[in-house]
Amino acid sequence: MACKRGALIVLEGVDRAGKTTQCTKLVESFREAGRAAHLMRFPDRTTTIGKLISSYLENKSDLEDHTVHLLFSANRWELVPLMKKKLEEGTTLIIDRYAFSGVAFTSAKPDFSIEWCKGPDVGLPKPDLVLYLQLSPDAAAQRGEFGTERYETSSFQQRVEGRFEQLMDENSVNWQVIDASQSIDEVHDNIKRLSLSALTAAEHRPIAELWR
Ligand code: ADP
Ligand code: 2DT
């Protein structure tokens, strides 16, 4: 690889853990430091597939559970050419949710195994760093009520959290757990330090494939 590539950094975590807040701050701080950075989020509700997913999440339409899982994955695959282009140009991607949310949410439904859920996402660009923002349900509740979208109930979120914990047991992915109960600035300082070190480590390494 002639020029340094950007890093692929993913933020995951429970609802209201601060993913969106921290993704935005991380992109700003990369840019202030003179490094190209681009914010993405999954699902990306702007594409044709993303609109089907959005309607499902808003309870405006119903989709069979396997089908919607495959749509979430397809929504990532359709963005892979853009992701690779940006990474190869040297732009760091900061992503709000990725395949780990895909597996954690679907496998929290009855009769779905983690193995089956991973299948469609095998081979996606592998993140150089996955930051898991960890927050207790009590602390999350203090940050506001649940919204009205599908999956936004405390019993389902607890099952999702358990699935994330199972995923984090695997050491093929560079997981870092962050205490998301700290102040916004403290969390930011932690994730910025980990992200800069992931960027340095990734610069001369080819983009790897997830779960392969
Ligand atoms: P997520 O994307 O994980 O659902 P958000 O970034 O949207 O979370 O944050 C949810 C709410 O919590 C927002 O009102 C946000 O301002 C607030 N918030 C985010 N991080 C913190 C923090 N560290 N301490 C207190 N409140 C926070
Ligand atoms: P937000 O747009 O508020 O993050 O909510 N989800 C997400 C899945 O079920 N599968 C996936 O692959 C992804 C990326 C998590 C999006 C909701 O969609 C869930 C919450």
Side-chain angles (χ1 to χ4, degrees):
M1 213 179 347
C3 83
K4 295 174 179 178
R5 73 164 170 94
L8 176 48
I9 298 171
V10 169
L11 273 78
E12 291 279 8
V14 295
D15 210 53
R16 290 163 295 172
K19 296 178 295 299
T20 304
T21 306
Q22 294 298 334
C23 281
T24 308
K25 281 182 78 69
L26 194 54
V27 168
E28 280 166 9
S29 75
F30 264 81
R31 289 185 181 156
E32 279 163 14
R35 296 182 184 259
H38 180 73
L39 177 65
M40 295 179 77
R41 65 177 305 135
F42 289 111
D44 178 335
R45 302 186 192 215
T46 65
T47 69
T48 303
I49 294 170
K51 287 182 180 125
L52 291 174
I53 294 171
S54 188
S55 159
Y56 170 82
L57 288 171
E58 291 169 16
N59 290 306
K60 289 180 181 159
S61 62
D62 278 323
L63 287 165
E64 192 276 332
D65 288 328
H66 299 79
T67 310
V68 76
H69 183 74
L70 297 174
L71 286 177
F72 273 112
S73 177
N75 183 232
R76 285 182 279 280
W77 280 106
E78 67 179 333
L79 271 305
V80 167
L82 175 71
M83 290 169 65
K84 286 192 169 165
K85 180 170 173 288
K86 292 217 172 274
L87 290 171
E88 279 156 12
E89 285 168 358
T91 299
T92 286
L93 297 180
I94 313 290
I95 311 190
D96 191 339
R97 297 193 189 277
Y98 197 52
F100 313 99
S101 276
V103 174
F105 278 75
T106 302
S107 68
K109 296 179 179 181
D111 303 326
F112 280 90
S113 71
I114 287 193
E115 276 326 293
W116 186 87
C117 292
K118 281 177 167 177
D121 286 318
V122 169
L124 278 177
K126 181 177 177 175
D128 298 296
L129 174 65
V130 186
L131 296 155
Y132 184 76
L133 302 192
Q134 194 163 49
L135 191 69
S136 71
D138 284 351
Q142 283 168 17
R143 294 187 183 172
E145 301 288 312
F146 279 117
T148 54
E149 289 207 332
R150 207 181 284 261
Y151 304 146
E152 293 183 332
T153 63
S154 74
S155 60
F156 192 73
Q157 295 280 332
Q158 270 168 28
R159 289 172 56 84
V160 170
E161 205 180 344
R163 294 307 203 178
F164 271 125
E165 276 160 16
Q166 274 177 270
L167 285 172
M168 280 189 282
D169 279 343
E170 290 173 15
N171 47 25
S172 70
V173 171
N174 180 16
W175 286 97
Q176 296 288 336
V177 179
I178 307 291
D179 174 3
S181 70
Q182 303 170 96
S183 73
I184 291 179
D185 287 341
E186 284 169 327
V187 175
H188 173 66
D189 288 346
N190 282 333
I191 70 174
K192 186 173 155 192
R193 182 177 43 79
L194 290 164
S195 299
L196 287 172
S197 110
L199 176 56
T200 310
E203 275 172 347
H204 294 290
R205 265 199 328 239
I207 304 163
E209 292 180 324
L210 182 62
W211 293 324
R212 185 116 81 191

